[in-house]
Amino acid sequence: MKNIVSMRWLLARMYEPDVVIADCRFLLGQPTAGREAYEAGHIPGAVYLDLEQDLSSPVSTHGGRHPLPDPAALASRLAKAGISSNARIVAYDDQGGMNASRLWWLLRYMGHEQVYVMDEGFTAWQNAKFPVTTDVPVQIPSSFEWNVQPQMLASVEDVQQASASGSAVLIDSRDARRYAGLEEPIDAKAGHIPGAVNYFWKDVLGADGRWSGVEALEERFVKLGKDDAIIVYCGSGVSACPNVIALEEAGYSNVKLYSGSWSDWISYEGNAVATGENSG
C-alpha cells in the first residue's frame, strides 16, 4: 500500500524532522467536536486541520457542502502550521480515514506527492497504548509551494457528459440507501446521478476496520477496466476520497474527483436525478 501507512510505521518515524502529522478528526453536524477531541488528546506533534475551516471554502450557490479550498489559501494555512513542501505528511482521523483522505486528495491535487493516511485511526492508536499528549506543538511558519494538478478534478460539465454518454464511469461513494434515494439525511434531494454505480466508501475497509490490501481492492473493482475514465463522487466530496485512494492502490490511473458531488449536482435545476438499486 503506497498511500496508507500503519500505526507502527508512524510510531517508528513520528519524531523524524521531515514528518508532519495532521489530525483531521471531524464530525458532520458537530463542527467543534474534532477540535475538542484534538485538545483532549492527540498524537504527539500533530497539528489540527479542520474539515470546514481549513480543508473547505465557504459554501455558496454551487460547489456543494464542502467546496474545495482556494489553493493559495490552503498553502498559506499549511505554511502557517509549519508544513513545508518537502514534508512527509501523515493524516489521521477517527472516521475510518474519510477526513484524512480529503487532506490526502487536496495535497496530491496541489502537487504534493509525499502524503499518507494512517490506517485505523486515533482510537486504535490510543488502544494500542501508543503515546498521546494534550501539548500543542509550536508551529514555526514554513513555505508551501504548490502546483495544481487539474487532471485530478472533474467539473459538473464532465459529470453531465459522463451521465449522458457514458464517457466515464461514475462511482457514487455513499451508502446504498442514500444512493437508491430511500433516505437522504443531509441534502435537499434524494437519489443519485443517472448512470452512476454504487461503491460504498466504507467497503475499502475490512471487517477489522483496517484498509483492505491491494488484492482485495482489485477484486472490489474487478468490473471496471483499468483504463476506464472514472469519476468518483459522494455527498460533498469528502467520503469519495477513500475510494479515490482505493482505486489508485488497485492500479486505476484515470480517476477524477467530482468535488462538489451530489450536493453540487442538485444545485443545478436541470440536472436529472435517478433512484433505485445499484446498476453496477
Side-chain angles (χ1 to χ4, degrees):
M1 302 286 281
K2 55 187 181 294
N3 298 299
I4 308 299
V5 297
S6 68
M7 297 192 300
R8 288 194 175 279
W9 185 97
L10 182 58
L11 183 70
R13 293 166 181 80
M14 58 193 288
Y15 297 113
E16 290 178 10
D18 66 328
V19 169
V20 173
I21 305 169
D23 185 319
C24 299
R25 285 177 285 174
F26 186 86
L27 293 177
L28 267 182
Q30 298 177 48
T32 61
R35 180 169 287 282
E36 287 162 7
Y38 171 81
E39 286 167 358
H42 50 264
I43 296 176
V47 296
Y48 183 71
L49 293 173
D50 185 277
L51 173 64
E52 292 185 343
Q53 304 299 317
D54 302 318
L55 307 182
S56 307
S57 61
V59 174
S60 58
T61 310
H62 301 300
R65 284 182 280 109
H66 293 112
L68 289 187
D70 172 67
L74 180 56
S76 160
R77 172 71 187 93
L78 296 170
K80 272 200 193 100
I83 302 174
S84 78
S85 312
N86 53 17
R88 283 183 292 164
I89 300 162
V90 181
Y92 72 88
D93 59 32
D94 229 355
Q95 287 73 44
M98 177 177 84
N99 302 315
S101 297
R102 164 79 164 207
L103 179 61
W104 173 91
W105 188 90
L106 285 169
L107 287 165
R108 291 286 297 271
Y109 177 62
M110 290 171 70
H112 190 88
E113 292 285 323
Q114 298 246 63
V115 56
Y116 311 92
V117 171
M118 185 187 84
D119 204 0
E120 299 182 80
F122 182 74
T123 296
W125 176 277
Q126 222 172 6
N127 291 343
K129 304 284 190 284
F130 290 171
V132 169
T133 185
T134 55
D135 294 346
V136 175
V138 175
Q139 296 173 15
I140 300 159
S142 186
S143 69
F144 193 92
E145 310 286 322
W146 48 279
N147 176 24
V148 164
Q149 307 295 305
Q151 75 282 1
M152 290 179 60
L153 191 61
S155 66
V156 68
E157 292 80 13
D158 295 332
V159 177
Q160 287 164 337
Q161 188 183 351
S163 177
S165 71
S167 55
V169 178
L170 288 172
I171 289 182
D172 186 313
S173 308
R174 299 169 303 161
D175 70 70
R177 291 184 63 80
R178 285 182 72 193
Y179 168 86
L182 297 172
E183 61 184 46
E184 183 44 69
I186 307 169
D187 292 311
K189 290 181 187 170
H192 58 267
I193 298 171
V197 292
N198 187 211
Y199 286 86
F200 183 33
W201 76 270
K202 277 194 178 166
D203 294 340
V204 306
L205 306 174
D208 58 0
R210 295 182 182 185
W211 279 73
S212 300
V214 171
E215 281 179 17
L217 294 174
E218 285 179 335
E219 180 61 32
R220 180 175 182 243
F221 297 117
V222 73
K223 289 183 183 174
L224 308 176
K226 286 278 166 89
D227 298 324
D228 286 353
I230 298 170
I231 297 173
V232 188
Y233 76 92
C234 55
S236 70
V238 178
S239 65
C241 294
N243 264 340
V244 175
I245 294 180
L247 283 158
E248 183 169 310
E249 292 287 352
Y252 294 82
S253 56
N254 188 2
V255 180
K256 296 181 194 295
L257 174 71
Y258 173 30
S259 63
S261 288
W262 179 247
S263 52
D264 177 64
W265 180 260
I266 59 172
S267 71
Y268 294 91
E269 217 35 57
N271 282 343
V273 166
T275 54
E277 297 300 309
N278 195 358
S279 55

